[in-house]
Amino acid sequence: MVEVIMEKYIYDEKNGLHYELVGDYYLPCLTAPKPVQLGVWGMRRSQYLKEHKKILYLNMLTTDTLNAHLKEIDQQAEEMFFQLVNQLKAFEGITEQLKAETQMAWVARMNNIHHRATEIVQQELIYE
């Protein structure tokens, strides 16, 4: 009986993968991609694409462009949201003095601004 010694690791030039000998079989050495940390806007965009734009979602997922897209949307939406909040605060004259004098009125007006800014960002970036 002739014993064949097999290499522990091999490289296949056809597909560009490395393989490791496990028992009698060569298994590909694969690593999972790092999960992308998304904020609320990226998660909302992902959910919207899954539910309403299934083909686009699957195309982006299979071409490995989904995470980059979601991260970009998340960043753009975050910037747009804070810019809108600041602009609306300035336009309506909401100041720290109002906050110090009548806190409940300040909270109510700020909540209104946050809701409006959220709606604008969702319509402009998330649900397009």
Side-chain angles (χ1 to χ4, degrees):
M1 183 167 135
V2 176
E3 185 176 324
V4 176
I5 298 175
M6 299 174 71
E7 294 181 40
K8 178 73 174 165
Y9 295 97
I10 61 171
Y11 177 74
D12 186 354
E13 292 182 15
K14 291 182 204 173
N15 61 19
L17 292 177
H18 292 274
Y19 292 86
E20 179 180 6
L21 182 64
V22 179
D24 292 337
Y25 301 98
Y26 280 107
L27 301 178
C29 299
L30 303 174
T31 56
K34 291 182 181 180
V36 175
Q37 296 293 327
L38 295 175
V40 65
W41 305 110
M43 290 187 282
R44 287 180 184 175
R45 177 68 174 170
S46 176
Q47 191 65 32
Y48 172 74
L49 291 174
K50 280 182 196 175
E51 292 177 7
H52 302 284
K53 306 279 185 174
K54 292 177 184 173
I55 294 173
L56 176 61
Y57 177 81
L58 290 173
N59 284 341
M60 293 176 87
L61 187 63
T62 56
T63 58
D64 199 28
T65 58
L66 180 64
N67 287 336
H69 170 74
L70 294 176
K71 191 159 182 77
E72 181 181 337
I73 290 291
D74 189 58
Q75 183 179 15
Q76 288 176 358
E78 191 74 17
E79 291 170 6
M80 184 179 187
F81 177 79
F82 284 116
Q83 184 179 10
L84 283 168
V85 167
N86 289 332
Q87 288 174 349
L88 290 169
K89 277 175 44 178
F91 181 74
E92 295 183 14
I94 298 176
T95 62
E96 291 297 315
Q97 182 180 354
L98 175 66
K99 182 178 178 181
E101 292 172 358
T102 53
Q103 292 178 354
M104 291 307 291
W106 180 86
V107 168
R109 292 176 72 181
M110 285 302 296
N111 281 342
N112 183 285
I113 287 174
H114 278 242
H115 289 298
R116 285 187 287 160
T118 299
E119 286 296 320
I120 292 168
V121 170
Q122 288 181 157
Q123 290 303 315
E124 296 290 322
L125 292 175
I126 307 302
Y127 301 143
E128 71 171 352

